[in-house]
Amino acid sequence: MSRIQLEGATKRFGHLAAVDEVSLDIGDGEFLVLLGPSGCGKSTLLRAIAGLAPLTAGRISLDGKDITHLPPRERDLAMVFQSYALYPHLSVARNIGFPLRARGRSKAQVRGKVDEVANVLGLTDLLARRPRELSGGQRQRVALGRALVRDPGAFLMDEPLSNLDAKLRTATRSELTELHSRLGSTFVYVTHDQVEAMTMATRIALLNNGKLEQVGTPAQVYDEPASEFVASFLGAPPMNLLPATIVSRGGSLFAVSSEVEVPLDLTGDVPDTEVTLGIRPEHLRLGGKRRDLLAVVRLLENLGSEEVAHCTVGGARVCVRGPRPLGLATGQTVSLSTTPAHVHLFHRATGRRLLWAPTLSPAPAKEFQV
Ligand code: ATP
């Protein structure tokens, strides 16, 4: 059992709050991914959980026990680093068995456990080799083995796949997901790679400047981003964001600007409201009866099965993603449309999502909160 709870976790380096009042409840058996851009505080937060970067303020508990001031080796947690941190002069078997020898386990106990872990990770034939005789992916598995051998309550992983090439990353990603479901242990995993986060996480915690921006399942953070930051971090290309004003026309609400007129399927009278309109590239359709956005095609990108058209809508950049070929040419003017269910609205000044539930029912204007 390993439930990790953070309450107001804060880590300062001088005046910089690398982790800023983060409260997070990581359930037993979760695969929680800490995601965010470089420098947002992911590694510092993970190191704080491991005990390698003591908190400036706040509290960390493991299964209800306060571990805030406990030294790293007394926490029932195992850390896997991006750099693998293997001992170059030791064989794979001795690298994996190292934590057990350091704890004074008998030779037979160490051998038994090393064999078991090597079997789980497909390393049995490599036990006699030195790390320099292994590929990047194999080294990463040895580093994982060294964490596994301790049977920790939780695994803390800092960008463990970032040194692998694209193909191996994809393969190791699914291996890790399978390992997680087989072990049923808690995984806390740091990455800046949204694909890793979306494919492996049971929940994603998105950090921005040391603060938690949103926590949710991959579907929640993708489908209902809590802020413009989340909307523009997830998705390839990310969500299109356009300045617009909500206006009422004969009782129906529209998001409008000079090249935009998107119906919202809402009725009511609201004072004109400045928003940022968000539409994912895959939710824009070409042509059709309606002309929600008027775009000029600037560049076409061939992704194999799909194509991305980079366009401009007024002064803003807008991407359309769909099956290839989209049937467009650069320089062409096209009208684009979407469905109200795929429209996201953010407060122009704060960037926070506006409470609005068009898919549940056409919300009356009073539920349109700014
Ligand atoms: P990356 O993806 O690039 O590894 P990250 O999200 O993991 O980034 P951190 O390494 O946690 O970010 O760093 C968060 C902030 O804290 C950064 O601004 C970094 O420069 C700063 N920082 C991290 N460690 C220290 C340190 N030991 N002393 C001073 N500042 C630090």
Side-chain angles (χ1 to χ4, degrees):
M1 229 194 75
S2 276
R3 176 183 181 189
I4 301 168
Q5 288 163 290
L6 306 170
E7 289 165 56
T10 300
K11 175 70 183 175
R12 284 196 197 88
F13 295 110
H15 292 299
L16 175 84
V19 176
D20 200 358
E21 296 200 18
V22 170
S23 296
L24 188 57
D25 192 343
I26 306 169
D28 182 37
E30 266 208 75
F31 194 137
L32 183 106
V33 172
L34 295 172
L35 178 68
S38 182
C40 70
K42 315 176 287 290
S43 296
T44 305
L45 183 55
L46 194 78
R47 290 169 58 78
I49 298 172
L52 300 170
L55 288 182
T56 316
R59 190 170 181 273
I60 305 175
S61 58
L62 186 63
D63 295 329
K65 182 182 151 203
D66 189 340
I67 60 161
T68 316
H69 303 291
L70 213 59
R73 40 177 306 128
E74 289 174 33
R75 301 179 183 206
D76 183 25
L77 306 165
M79 182 110 174
V80 182
F81 296 94
Q82 172 185 344
S83 60
Y84 319 136
L86 300 180
Y87 298 106
H89 57 291
L90 297 183
S91 66
V92 167
R94 289 184 68 79
N95 260 291
I96 295 177
F98 188 85
L100 298 182
R101 286 199 306 281
R103 282 169 175 73
R105 301 286 162 78
S106 74
K107 267 192 175 163
Q109 276 178 322
V110 175
R111 167 153 319 168
K113 194 68 197 173
V114 167
D115 285 347
E116 183 190 321
V117 165
N119 187 31
V120 169
L121 294 173
L123 291 169
T124 305
D125 294 338
L126 306 175
L127 286 173
R129 292 205 200 166
R130 299 267 187 279
R132 67 170 181 277
E133 297 163 331
L134 302 175
S135 71
Q138 290 164 338
R139 279 180 221 173
Q140 188 54 65
R141 271 187 273 156
V142 177
L144 262 175
R146 203 175 43 189
L148 266 177
V149 84
R150 285 176 42 197
D151 280 331
F155 293 87
L156 310 178
M157 304 189 188
D158 194 354
E159 308 235 18
L161 308 186
S162 60
N163 288 335
L164 308 182
D165 65 40
K167 200 170 164 202
L168 201 53
R169 264 179 106 114
T170 311
T172 316
R173 225 165 54 202
S174 44
E175 277 177 23
L176 270 180
T177 312
E178 280 170 28
L179 188 68
H180 172 255
S181 48
R182 231 180 307 143
L183 296 175
S185 319
T186 311
F187 280 29
V188 186
Y189 185 104
V190 162
T191 186
H192 61 269
D193 182 335
Q194 53 160 315
V195 178
E196 279 179 25
M198 292 295 289
T199 51
M200 296 196 291
T202 48
R203 277 195 310 160
I204 295 174
L206 233 133
L207 285 166
N208 181 20
N209 282 329
K211 286 190 178 298
L212 255 191
E213 194 79 22
Q214 186 173 6
V215 186
T217 63
Q220 282 167 343
V221 291
Y222 190 83
D223 296 339
E224 289 172 39
S227 63
E228 277 183 49
F229 173 83
V230 178
S232 56
F233 193 81
L234 293 169
M239 187 182 284
N240 298 304
L241 295 170
L242 297 152
T245 308
I246 305 295
V247 298
S248 174
R249 290 195 178 143
S252 298
L253 298 184
F254 290 80
V256 301
S257 71
S258 53
E259 279 85 12
V260 174
E261 187 168 320
V262 176
L264 299 178
D265 230 5
L266 295 168
T267 52
D269 276 309
V270 291
D272 290 1
T273 307
E274 304 286 293
V275 297
T276 300
L277 172 70
I279 307 170
R280 293 227 174 259
E282 64 272 29
H283 292 149
L284 282 169
R285 279 191 312 273
L286 298 166
K289 284 194 295 265
R290 288 216 321 263
R291 303 178 60 167
D292 297 347
L293 288 85
L294 209 55
V296 180
V297 181
R298 300 292 180 196
L299 175 79
L300 290 163
E301 231 176 21
N302 179 348
L303 302 184
S305 63
E306 292 192 312
E307 193 166 27
V308 174
H310 295 258
C311 309
T312 46
V313 172
R317 297 171 66 90
V318 163
C319 288
V320 183
R321 182 174 179 150
R324 188 171 66 92
L326 287 172
L328 295 174
T330 49
Q332 191 182 345
T333 300
V334 286
S335 52
L336 305 172
S337 63
T338 189
T339 48
H342 287 140
V343 169
H344 306 257
L345 298 174
F346 302 97
H347 189 281
R348 179 84 66 83
T350 64
R352 302 305 296 180
R353 185 183 188 83
L354 294 168
L355 290 178
W356 183 53
T359 47
L360 300 178
S361 63
K366 63 181 168 45
E367 285 187 18
F368 178 80
Q369 295 178 10
V370 181

